[in-house]
Amino acid sequence: MKDDEFCAQNLLLQPLEKLDKQANQLSVISVDLHKEENRSNHWTSEYEIEHLVIRRGQAFEMTISFDRNFDPEIDTITLQLVTGKRPQESKGSVRRLVVHKELYHIDRWCAQLKDIGDKTANIRIMTRADAIVGQYGMWVETLTKTDDTVFHVRHKCDEAVYLLFNPWVPEDDVYMELEEEREEYVLNETGAIWVGNWRRFGPVHWNFGQFEDIALDVALYLLDKAELAPTARSNPVQIVRTLAAMVNSNDEDGGILEGRWTRSYPHGSTPPTAWTGSAEILEKFVENDYQPVKYGQCWVFAGLCTTLARVLGIPTRVITNFESAHDTDASMTIDFHYNEDDEPVDYLNDSVWNFHVWNESAFRRPDLPSGNDGWQAFDATPQEVSEGVMRCGPAPVNSIKKGDVYMLYDLPFVFAEVNGDRVYWVVQKDGTMKADGVSKHCIGKHISTKAVGSDERVDITDTYKFPEGSEDERKCVLKANKFSSRKDHNIYDKKMEADVSMKLTGSSNMDILVGEDATVTLEMANISTETRTLNVVMCSKMAFYTGITFQDIKTEKFAVTMEPKSEEKVTMIISQKDYLDNLVADGAIKTFVKATVAETQQLFVDFDVIDFVKPDMNVEVLDDPIVMNEDFEVKISFANPLPIPLKNCHFHAEGSAIHSHSHRHRGNIGPNKEVSAKIRVKATRYGRRKLIVNFYSEQISGIRGYAFINVKKYHPKVVS
């Protein structure tokens, strides 16, 4: 049976009113949902959608106007709220509330008659704190009983009511105690997402835009498209798990965004580094008849998830993990292979991303043992399947830290991302492999999120794992290893003497501009009383931020003899001509260094990333004052840092309640030339707003700037 046929057979969804109206019949003339007052009380005033938006577990008020005075002696009012494509009272998606004068409970659905006016009735409605979240239709029924007649009228309200999660009430699973955290994780429309590498990182400013009219509609559309049952929509666990699946389009399930990690992008698509916020992506998704938008990468997926979770009322933030591992076989170890000539065998390796971005949402986990409430990690970036679908989480962060990888959902994968050990394998000439060593402290660094109330970075590594190398941290790793797909491999048994200390330094510790030479240096100190002979291999490759390499740059080998108690260093220089022809917009130089001490077989392996410094962008608002719903002009300027022209150049601008679009810069931008452009944008709501601008080209991307703008509701009065 189709949905419309189901609803047509549901008598509760049909109007009831006699055509030959009787004198005693009580009919509804209109319903006033007091949108402005209710929105203010429910912290939903910023939502651009025109209907009433309220939060569950909290009362709201309405006034019903009738064709005569309401008489409680003969008249009864029943409110009916329905949600879902197939509303059904036995499933909890139809709620019928008889209006009582005194009866009022904060822990159940109920309706109270506050007062009676001239042909009006003022009513207070209470929803449960575990109510189904979504769009509700509302009906008002009146029943009039006289001595010999019963009149029954059912009136459908014209406006919908949107019911959201409520972090302000303790009874809701998403309750958040501190007001400043609710302001940040539910109401803040902009944020900062950290990118780069573990040595050098910075924020990408992002417009979440959860109050844009399109955001709530798309969030509910995705729940419908995923066929999430109405009863499951009361549960934040199921909601965020569904969002993690539906934000990406990998399963051809109607998801929003297609991921792509390549050197170039097809004409007509948008490279991931171009986006400045979620609103434009959602608009393109709807404009393209709900076909996937092209393209996104991890921070874009996380930005979208933040928008869609916050618009539903779930406290959510963006998390960045530097040196983030991608475990492909549930081993919870990260495998790196090299041949007998010490050269990396790239196609066999697990990847370690310079950074990876996911989300956390805060809610209780009644489906798990105590101790698992609070922040839950989830990820929409398509990496590995979970229960047959590309998604990850929600995984309780407390259990990730403790190595309790048997908890729901997908804890082994997240544990490996932040605390897996890297295992080195020698691929021998006959194809066999042997474990050559383990690095225990190289995965999961500087786990970061935006601070509450500012754009500063907060390091939350200690919420995901104990201090590296501590007894507690090693216990958790070994506990997790018991659930590994390779728990029978004795990777931790190999012991070796270590009497040469080694440290990788060079350009990764410095600000290197694109076009400058870079260096990789291995510093060595022989702390033994004997001579030591070292074989050192240094490789450099162009790589994506995911750690996947796409072009060899340079390899050098060194033989070093060290006297007792001596120090040495070797350096590989990577000149401009080595890498410039292979430069892509979001690429970096990845370096690999392996050193072996001949006398003791001591092994040293390390990796580093050389990310080039991008120039600053200046964003200047040219008009004053800025008035809501009127265009204004913004000037953007920066200098091309490259000694080559920039081709296919675009500016992207977006902000909280600020509408703009991609703007193509005509012509190329010459080598080391200054460039400026003017764009026109419009603010749709007043108040302090943040405009975020991004530049990208074929050769370089990630040149960003922003400006705060005070938008006025009206033009100031001119005093004559």
Side-chain angles (χ1 to χ4, degrees):
M1 183 184 294
K2 295 181 179 179
D3 294 337
D4 55 354
E5 294 174 349
F6 178 91
C7 292
Q9 293 192 28
N10 191 333
L11 297 180
L12 291 177
L13 305 182
Q14 312 311 316
L16 286 175
E17 187 152 11
K18 288 184 178 292
L19 295 177
D20 52 339
K21 186 178 184 309
Q22 303 296 312
N24 288 332
Q25 180 178 323
L26 181 66
S27 296
V28 176
I29 300 301
S30 63
V31 176
D32 183 356
L33 294 177
H34 300 305
K35 287 189 289 187
E36 185 173 345
E37 181 181 351
N38 283 321
R39 279 174 172 253
S40 177
N41 292 336
H42 287 249
W43 300 275
T44 59
S45 296
E46 288 287 303
Y47 281 76
E48 291 184 357
I49 200 163
E50 294 182 355
H51 297 279
L52 176 62
V53 183
I54 54 174
R55 301 187 187 276
R56 67 185 190 177
Q58 184 174 339
F60 69 100
E61 298 185 5
M62 59 186 286
T63 299
I64 306 172
S65 297
F66 301 105
D67 61 344
R68 63 167 174 82
N69 285 332
F70 171 74
D71 183 354
E73 296 298 323
I74 62 171
D75 297 323
T76 301
I77 303 171
T78 301
L79 302 180
Q80 178 175 281
L81 290 97
V82 302
T83 187
K85 294 182 177 180
R86 297 189 172 205
Q88 191 172 335
E89 198 166 1
S90 61
K91 302 294 186 184
S93 51
V94 174
R95 293 289 180 176
R96 293 178 56 78
L97 314 176
V98 178
V99 178
H100 298 274
K101 187 171 184 180
E102 301 299 337
L103 189 63
Y104 180 72
H105 300 274
I106 63 171
D107 61 347
R108 69 181 67 171
W109 287 86
C110 59
Q112 179 191 31
L113 181 63
K114 283 192 65 183
D115 55 69
I116 302 170
D118 181 20
K119 298 183 181 181
T120 63
N122 295 323
I123 299 171
R124 174 186 292 162
I125 301 98
M126 186 69 186
T127 63
R128 280 183 59 94
D130 60 355
I132 295 169
V133 166
Q135 179 182 335
Y136 282 76
M138 181 180 286
W139 304 73
V140 179
E141 292 183 16
T142 60
L143 189 70
T144 302
K145 292 183 179 180
T146 62
D147 292 339
D148 55 356
T149 312
V150 175
F151 299 103
H152 191 189
V153 178
R154 183 182 297 125
H155 170 84
K156 189 178 190 305
C157 300
D158 293 332
E159 293 197 61
V161 177
Y162 289 83
L163 188 62
L164 310 180
F165 291 98
N166 194 344
W168 279 264
V169 299
E171 295 78 16
D172 198 312
D173 279 345
V174 303
Y175 173 65
M176 185 164 267
E177 184 177 2
L178 298 178
E179 175 61 26
E180 57 266 31
E181 291 189 347
R182 296 192 291 258
E183 291 279 348
E184 180 66 50
Y185 300 131
V186 181
L187 301 181
N188 195 349
E189 292 183 81
T190 61
I193 303 172
W194 266 260
V195 301
N197 64 71
W198 73 276
R199 293 184 189 273
R200 297 189 69 261
F201 44 75
V204 169
H205 295 274
W206 191 266
N207 177 49
F208 300 122
Q210 68 266 34
F211 301 132
E212 306 278 335
D213 55 5
I214 200 167
L216 185 53
D217 284 340
V218 170
L220 297 178
Y221 166 84
L222 294 177
L223 303 184
D224 287 341
K225 190 69 177 177
E227 298 182 351
L228 186 66
T231 50
R233 301 185 192 194
S234 63
N235 185 347
V237 176
Q238 296 302 320
I239 294 284
V240 300
R241 188 153 172 79
T242 300
L243 293 179
M246 296 301 295
V247 165
N248 71 70
S249 64
N250 279 58
D251 302 292
E252 298 183 358
D253 51 7
I256 297 175
L257 190 64
E258 183 176 334
R260 185 173 175 128
W261 289 261
T262 55
R263 296 181 66 172
S264 60
Y265 294 88
H267 178 73
S269 66
T270 303
T273 51
W275 302 112
T276 51
S278 304
E280 186 176 355
I281 298 172
L282 297 178
E283 288 171 1
K284 286 183 179 292
F285 180 58
V286 175
E287 289 170 1
N288 294 338
D289 197 24
Y290 300 96
Q291 296 302 304
V293 178
K294 301 177 179 181
Y295 292 100
Q297 291 176 1
C298 66
W299 69 93
V300 186
F301 289 109
L304 276 173
C305 278
T306 306
T307 300
L308 297 169
R310 285 186 184 180
V311 76
L312 294 173
I314 302 174
T316 303
R317 62 187 184 182
V318 181
I319 306 299
T320 302
N321 178 40
F322 294 96
E323 293 297 290
S324 187
H326 181 174
D327 175 26
T328 58
D329 61 355
S331 65
M332 287 177 281
T333 58
I334 317 306
D335 298 318
F336 185 83
H337 305 78
Y338 39 80
N339 59 28
E340 292 181 308
D341 293 325
D342 294 334
E343 297 167 338
V345 185
D346 290 333
Y347 75 93
L348 294 174
N349 296 334
D350 290 335
S351 61
V352 176
W353 299 28
N354 300 346
F355 68 92
H356 180 49
V357 183
W358 61 74
N359 293 95
E360 287 178 358
S361 288
F363 46 80
R364 292 191 280 266
R365 290 296 298 268
D367 59 320
L368 297 179
S370 62
N372 286 291
D373 296 344
W375 290 112
Q376 313 288 323
F378 70 103
D379 192 351
T381 302
Q383 296 183 91
E384 300 294 325
V385 296
S386 172
E387 296 180 339
V389 178
M390 278 289 187
R391 60 183 168 189
C392 181
V397 174
N398 287 341
S399 283
I400 297 169
K401 180 174 183 175
K402 293 184 291 185
D404 293 337
V405 296
Y406 46 84
M407 296 290 182
L408 298 175
Y409 291 89
D410 306 313
L411 266 80
F413 185 80
V414 185
F415 182 88
E417 287 184 300
V418 300
N419 208 12
D421 287 343
R422 196 175 217 156
V423 182
Y424 302 110
W425 297 84
V426 178
V427 182
Q428 300 177 107
K429 287 184 170 61
D430 62 0
T432 60
M433 303 179 190
K434 68 174 182 178
D436 200 32
V438 179
S439 288
K440 301 177 181 179
H441 315 306
C442 61
I443 300 299
K445 297 177 181 290
H446 302 311
I447 304 176
S448 305
T449 193
K450 177 187 172 300
V452 172
S454 79
D455 282 343
E456 297 300 312
R457 185 187 75 91
V458 175
D459 194 300
I460 59 167
T461 308
D462 63 343
T463 67
Y464 277 87
K465 57 183 179 180
F466 292 98
E468 288 282 13
S470 67
E471 183 179 353
D472 286 335
E473 187 261 348
R474 283 293 93 193
K475 284 181 179 178
C476 293
V477 171
L478 294 176
K479 183 201 296 186
N481 186 252
K482 293 177 182 178
F483 298 88
S484 168
S485 62
R486 285 214 317 265
K487 56 182 176 291
D488 56 325
H489 286 216
N490 297 318
I491 60 173
Y492 295 104
D493 288 349
K494 184 171 182 178
K495 307 295 181 184
M496 63 179 66
E497 184 179 352
D499 55 15
V500 178
S501 67
M502 290 175 255
K503 182 173 70 171
L504 190 60
T505 62
S507 295
S508 60
N509 294 314
M510 298 178 279
D511 291 342
I512 302 295
L513 297 173
V514 181
E516 293 183 344
D517 293 348
T519 61
V520 182
T521 298
L522 179 65
E523 298 178 356
M524 299 159 284
N526 180 7
I527 59 178
S528 76
T529 57
E530 300 177 9
T531 301
R532 292 289 181 250
T533 306
L534 285 79
N535 294 313
V536 180
V537 177
M538 291 183 169
C539 298
S540 60
K541 301 170 182 275
M542 292 302 298
F544 302 114
Y545 81 96
T546 58
I548 303 297
T549 60
F550 60 84
Q551 182 66 51
D552 292 344
I553 297 177
K554 194 172 190 178
T555 298
E556 289 188 6
K557 297 183 179 182
F558 304 87
V560 181
T561 300
M562 301 188 69
E563 297 299 323
K565 306 295 184 181
S566 66
E567 296 181 356
E568 296 284 349
K569 65 181 178 179
V570 293
T571 298
M572 178 173 68
I573 298 174
I574 306 169
S575 68
Q576 177 197 103
K577 66 182 176 107
D578 291 327
Y579 69 83
L580 202 57
D581 288 343
N582 294 307
L583 192 66
V584 296
D586 55 350
I589 297 175
K590 184 173 183 178
T591 61
F592 160 71
V593 175
K594 178 176 181 288
T596 307
V597 180
E599 291 81 5
T600 63
Q601 296 305 300
Q602 177 185 342
L603 174 69
F604 173 86
V605 180
D606 204 356
F607 304 81
D608 219 336
V609 176
I610 300 171
D611 264 329
F612 295 104
V613 177
K614 308 292 175 62
D616 294 328
M617 175 188 288
N618 183 55
V619 180
E620 180 184 2
V621 179
L622 299 179
D623 295 328
D624 185 43
I626 307 301
V627 180
M628 184 175 71
N629 293 322
E630 293 186 6
D631 286 352
F632 61 95
E633 198 167 50
V634 176
K635 181 181 178 181
I636 307 156
S637 58
F638 70 94
N640 173 12
L642 296 180
I644 57 174
L646 304 182
K647 301 176 182 178
N648 192 22
C649 306
H650 288 77
F651 293 96
H652 247 67
E654 188 177 321
S656 57
I658 297 177
H659 291 191
S660 182
H661 296 285
S662 172
H663 299 268
R664 190 176 189 280
H665 181 78
R666 294 183 179 178
N668 298 335
I669 297 174
N672 303 119
K673 295 294 185 182
E674 293 277 344
V675 61
S676 65
K678 294 180 180 178
I679 60 174
R680 298 199 68 80
V681 294
K682 179 189 295 184
T684 57
R685 281 177 278 136
Y686 63 92
R688 191 168 189 256
R689 304 294 170 187
K690 188 177 187 179
L691 176 67
I692 303 166
V693 184
N694 185 19
F695 171 85
Y696 71 95
S697 67
E698 292 179 6
Q699 291 72 32
I700 192 171
S701 66
I703 300 175
R704 303 178 177 97
Y706 66 93
F708 287 103
I709 301 166
N710 290 313
V711 181
K712 300 184 181 300
K713 193 171 185 179
Y714 307 107
H715 278 282
K717 292 183 179 179
V718 179
V719 180
S720 57

